[in-house]
Each structure stands twice: as structure tokens, then as C-alpha cells.
Amino acid sequence: MFRSTPSRAAAATGLLLALGLTTACSSGKEATTDDQAGKVEGAISLTYLQKQGDQEYFIGEAAGAKAKAKELGIDLKVANLGNDANKTVSEVQSAIAQKTSGIIIVVPDPAVGPQVVQTTKDGKVALLTSDDQICATGPDPAKCGKDDLVPRIGFSGSQMGGEVGKRAAAEYEKAGWKAADTRIISAWKQDVTVCGDRVAGAKKAFQAAVPGVKTIDVPTDNTPTGAQDKIAATITANSKVKNWVVWGCNDENVMGGVTALANAGISPDNVIGVGLGAYLACKEWQSDKPTGMKAALFINGKDVGALAVQTMYDKLKNGKKFPAEAFAPTTMVDHTSWKSAGVTCS
């Protein structure tokens, strides 16, 4: 979802776009899932199905996909699945009925993975995921053999989490806090594999730099209000804690945590929130008002959408095999650097 400086990351993004986003971020692994669609002669039509399509990140992803599709002469349809697993299946069936050449999907629930895979296989339509993984043989990608994971375009969860953990540790050390006075809130939707990768990466990187700080795992629905409610209960149950570090699967979790801490009367000076996305974090930085949101990892949905469309095009037009995973770059930003990094903040 992203190295050392914003300027270097911006240069990397520019290189990706210049190269058509096809190889620069590949993980180097080839996919081994069933190859169900051949080359397409003539016009290519694609369908991009997204969960939470009204979220800022996914709006950017759709924009990147549309721009790349226009460049390549592809007819692209984008549909918002919201959080509806039933709609996921019906939209896949509809796309196949409308003779789409390929489907790119961000599933609301990985449990629909086997049905999506089977439906596209029966329809002889190429399938590529973006952002979240799905498994061809079971509902939980974390328990899936790597040969059964559907090829994915997105970000490296463990690498993103590592960047978050390192920044949180740096902020902790700068603040001069003590482990006995501090707790870490790690918040995420626990059935989403990439979320687990992110928070595990954050914890590993933080503990490597700052051992001894206890972590409280908080299951959420990955929304700001859902995270806020769950984290508020955690704060109440740990009322003697002085300092708080907050990270999670996405900006929504961290923003929910920062808000819950503010509502509990915790000073921003006693909060280190490190977001993942920056699309909500940046709203905290639009004024000079103190905030517990100290930094965020900028993940640019436009790059992922463009890379997904390019990867599908290369498969359908040129017969190039899908990589098992291909990654776009990230940049750590804060209140001083988010604008220059190109974060879109509405």
C-alpha cells in the first residue's frame, strides 16, 4: 500500500506510471491459480467491482483505473459493492452475462471468494483481485495454500505495517514515554487477511525498536464509528493508562481511536496515532489545532487502479501471466508533508 522520503516515493510513482505500471512493483512471484481465460482479439471490456466505493481511497482507485482504461482503449465499468456480499456475487454474474473480458474485484467479504472464483471460471472470464486477497478453495485467505490464492494487485501488508510501526516507535521515543505508562491499540477487522498482515507488521517493527510496551488488540468493522465505539470501551477499561499509541488496518480505525481518546479527555500530547491511507488523517492537519494523529502512510488508490487495469490488459491482449502479487509504492506523511506528497483531502 509504499521509500525513505516523499520525494523519492513520488519519483517511484512517476516511474511506475511511465512504465505502464506493469513491472516495477512486481513481487516476482508468478500466479499458479487456474488460468481460465485466453487472449482477447479486438476490443477489451473490463468490470471493476469495489467494496466501499464511496470511500476516498476507492474513489481514487476507480479514477486511476478509468484513466488507464481510457489510455489503453478499454471499455471499463466500475460498480460499488458497498459491504454487500450478496451483491458481489450478483454483480459478477451480471458482468459475465454482459460479456465482460475480465473482472477486477475488491471483495467486501473474503468468504465469497470460492463462489466468485467458480463463477468466473465457469464463465471463462479472467479474474484479478485488488487490495484484498481471496482464496479459490475456502473462505479464509490466511488458511489458503498459495497456489489457491487469486492474483492480487495492491500493497504489501507486512511492509506497510512495518512503516507504521517504525514511525510510531520514532514518535514514542521523541515523546520520551515509558512503557509502564503506555498502551498500544491495534485495531482491525480480524477476518481480513491483509489487515492482519498490516497490524502484525506494525507490531513487529515497533517492538524491534521499542520493546516492552503492551498491545491491546481491538476487533472492529474497519469503519471510523465502529472503531470509535470499540476503542472507547477499551479506554474505559484501561482508565489508568496515561499514553496511547494507535494503529490499525486503515485510516478509519486510527481516526476512530483518535476520536475516542479525544472524547475521553485524553490530550493530543498523550496520543500517537499513525494512520494507514492518509485520506482521513489529512483532515486533522488542515488546521493548526493539536491532534493525536501524528502521521499516516499515504497509499495512493490511483496507482493500484491503474496497475490492476494494466495487468489485466497485459494478460488479455498479450497473454502475459498474472503475477501472484504486484505492489504499488507508499509514502509516510504528516502535517508538514501531506500536501507536497499529493494526498487528496476532501
Side-chain angles (χ1 to χ4, degrees):
M1 36 163 134
F2 332 157
R3 251 309 272 231
S4 55
T5 66
S7 60
R8 288 176 64 183
T13 302
L15 176 60
L16 282 169
L17 295 173
L19 293 176
L21 294 161
T22 56
T23 60
C25 291
S26 174
S27 65
K29 300 181 293 180
E30 284 194 343
T32 54
T33 48
D34 186 43
D35 191 2
Q36 59 226 30
K39 291 174 65 174
V40 173
E41 301 296 336
I44 291 175
S45 63
L46 299 180
T47 305
Y48 210 130
L49 305 176
Q50 299 176 301
K51 70 176 183 182
Q52 300 171 346
D54 56 351
Q55 184 195 87
E56 191 68 39
Y57 169 81
F58 290 114
I59 291 171
E61 184 176 75
K66 290 174 182 176
K68 179 56 68 173
K70 183 177 181 181
E71 174 190 323
L72 296 173
I74 293 170
D75 178 22
L76 175 70
K77 176 187 176 184
V78 178
N80 179 15
L81 303 174
N83 289 304
D84 190 339
N86 291 326
K87 186 175 182 181
T88 303
V89 176
S90 64
E91 287 286 352
V92 169
Q93 293 170 336
S94 176
I96 293 171
Q98 294 172 29
K99 307 299 182 183
T100 191
S101 307
I103 293 173
I104 305 167
I105 189 168
V106 193
V107 293
D109 185 341
V112 302
Q115 189 171 357
V116 168
V117 171
Q118 189 61 50
T119 302
T120 55
K121 183 178 179 180
D122 291 344
K124 295 181 169 55
V125 170
L127 176 66
L128 183 65
T129 65
S130 70
D131 304 291
D132 299 342
Q133 283 185 313
I134 61 173
C135 177
T137 56
D140 185 357
K143 298 177 181 178
C144 188
K146 62 181 179 180
D147 289 355
D148 294 320
L149 289 171
V150 176
R152 181 179 77 93
I153 305 299
F155 301 101
S156 167
S158 58
Q159 184 238 353
M160 285 193 301
E163 294 296 319
V164 168
K166 284 189 285 187
R167 180 58 180 259
E171 294 286 344
Y172 173 94
E173 291 178 320
K174 184 171 69 175
W177 293 354
K178 296 180 180 179
D181 300 329
T182 307
R183 293 293 182 272
I184 298 166
I185 290 175
S186 181
W188 78 103
K189 192 172 189 293
Q190 297 186 347
D191 62 351
V192 178
T193 309
V194 294
C195 288
D197 292 342
R198 294 171 191 178
V199 296
K203 185 175 182 178
K204 182 178 179 180
F206 187 92
Q207 289 183 337
V210 184
V213 182
K214 293 182 180 179
T215 300
I216 302 172
D217 294 333
V218 181
T220 74
D221 61 1
N222 277 354
T223 68
T225 53
Q228 181 179 333
D229 291 344
K230 292 295 183 71
I231 291 171
T234 300
I235 297 164
T236 300
N238 294 271
S239 59
K240 294 182 180 180
V241 174
K242 179 180 178 182
N243 303 313
W244 294 90
V245 177
V246 186
W247 64 57
C249 179
N250 52 19
D251 258 22
E252 284 80 355
N253 281 288
V254 182
M255 194 68 257
V258 169
T259 301
L261 287 161
N263 290 346
I266 308 297
S267 168
D269 292 339
N270 298 103
V271 178
I272 295 171
V274 181
L276 206 161
Y279 45 84
L280 294 182
C282 63
K283 296 180 181 182
E284 294 288 285
W285 304 326
Q286 289 179 321
S287 72
D288 294 329
K289 184 179 178 181
T291 175
M293 186 73 79
K294 298 301 191 289
L297 192 67
F298 175 34
I299 54 177
N300 193 341
K302 290 182 180 179
D303 287 351
V304 172
L307 179 53
V309 169
Q310 181 72 59
T311 302
M312 181 66 82
Y313 176 87
D314 289 342
K315 160 71 176 171
L316 296 176
K317 182 59 68 175
N318 303 317
K320 184 176 179 179
K321 292 191 72 172
F322 286 142
E325 292 183 301
F327 302 139
T330 61
T331 307
M332 186 63 69
V333 297
D334 56 27
H335 71 286
T336 67
S337 61
W338 67 274
K339 290 182 180 178
S340 61
V343 178
T344 299
C345 204
S346 59

